[in-house]
Amino acid sequence: MQGENEEKMDPILKSDEEWMRRAIHLSQAAVEHGNEPFGAVLVKDGTMVFENENQIYTAHDPSFHGEAGLIRRFCEETGVTDLREYTMYSSCEPCFMCSGALVWARLGRLVYAAGNRDLEALFGREGCDCSRLVFEHSAHSPEVTAGVLREESLRVLRAYFSEHPKG
Ligand SMILES: [Zn+2]
C-alpha cells in the first residue's frame, strides 16, 4: 500500500533518478575497464533499450564518448535513426560533439547529472553550457533536464580526475 502511494507521488522524477543511477554506475564501470568516467543509457516507453560507457582508450577511438558511442552502436544495430521517442540519461552533460550527435539523431529528451561547468571546475576551468549552446543554434533541440543525481555523478568524476589529469 505504501508502495502504491509512493509511485503516485512523482513517477517521472523517480524514474529519472532510477535511470540516472544506471548511467552513473556505467561511468564507474568505464573506469574499471580502463576508460574515462562517463556513461549513458537510452530509454523508450519506460524501458532501457541501450547503454554505453566511455570507451576512448580500449576502442582506440577518442570520439567513443558515452553518448556518441551509444548513438553509433544503437542505430547501427537496430536501423533506427530517429530518436524523437527516446530519452537519454547521461552521467555528465554531453560535450559539443555528443550534443551535435544528439541533434542529428533528433533525440526527444536529454537528462544529465553533472554539468560541463562542474566537470571543468575539477580542472580549475570555467567550462560552459556546451549542450545548450549547441541546441540553441540547431534546428532540432531535445527537451533537457539537468542536475539529476549531480552529486553522485560528481563523486565518480572527482575520484577519477584527482588521479588522472585531463589534457
Ligand atoms: Zn562527448
Side-chain angles (χ1 to χ4, degrees):
M1 292 251 263
Q2 200 186 348
E4 273 178 32
N5 289 338
E6 276 175 20
E7 273 176 34
K8 281 174 193 163
M9 274 171 60
D10 199 341
I12 293 172
L13 182 64
K14 188 174 175 184
S15 176
D16 276 352
E17 291 193 355
E18 192 180 312
W19 296 125
M20 189 57 78
R21 200 155 279 127
R22 180 68 193 163
I24 294 170
H25 169 80
L26 290 166
S27 74
Q28 181 60 49
V31 173
E32 285 155 23
H33 296 145
N35 295 298
E36 292 195 339
F38 303 99
V41 168
L42 191 64
V43 171
K44 187 187 183 197
D45 300 329
T47 304
M48 183 172 78
V49 294
F50 215 80
E51 63 180 26
N52 182 55
E53 58 191 59
N54 178 288
Q55 298 182 47
I56 58 171
Y57 298 126
T58 51
H60 310 291
D61 178 356
S63 72
F64 212 133
H65 289 188
E67 306 91 338
L70 186 155
I71 288 174
R72 281 209 302 274
R73 283 264 170 98
F74 173 74
C75 294
E76 190 179 12
E77 284 186 19
T78 61
V80 172
T81 54
D82 188 321
L83 302 185
R84 250 178 285 224
E85 304 294 317
Y86 296 75
T87 298
M88 184 181 287
Y89 294 86
S90 181
S91 64
C92 190
E93 181 175 6
C95 69
F96 284 106
M97 174 188 74
C98 290
S99 296
L102 300 183
V103 167
W104 294 118
R106 297 185 178 280
L107 182 74
R109 182 167 179 247
L110 167 68
V111 183
Y112 64 82
N116 176 269
R117 290 180 188 276
D118 296 322
L119 176 65
E120 291 293 326
L122 299 177
F123 316 116
R125 296 192 293 251
E126 189 182 353
C128 66
D129 303 322
C130 52
S131 64
R132 190 172 58 79
L133 286 170
V134 171
F135 299 151
E136 270 180 4
H137 296 281
S138 299
H140 174 83
S141 178
E143 180 193 335
V144 178
T145 304
V148 174
L149 299 185
R150 173 176 170 265
E151 277 304 320
E152 285 186 34
S153 170
L154 264 175
R155 222 171 290 144
V156 178
L157 293 169
R158 216 178 275 127
Y160 177 84
F161 287 115
S162 64
E163 292 175 14
H164 304 78
K166 196 173 175 68

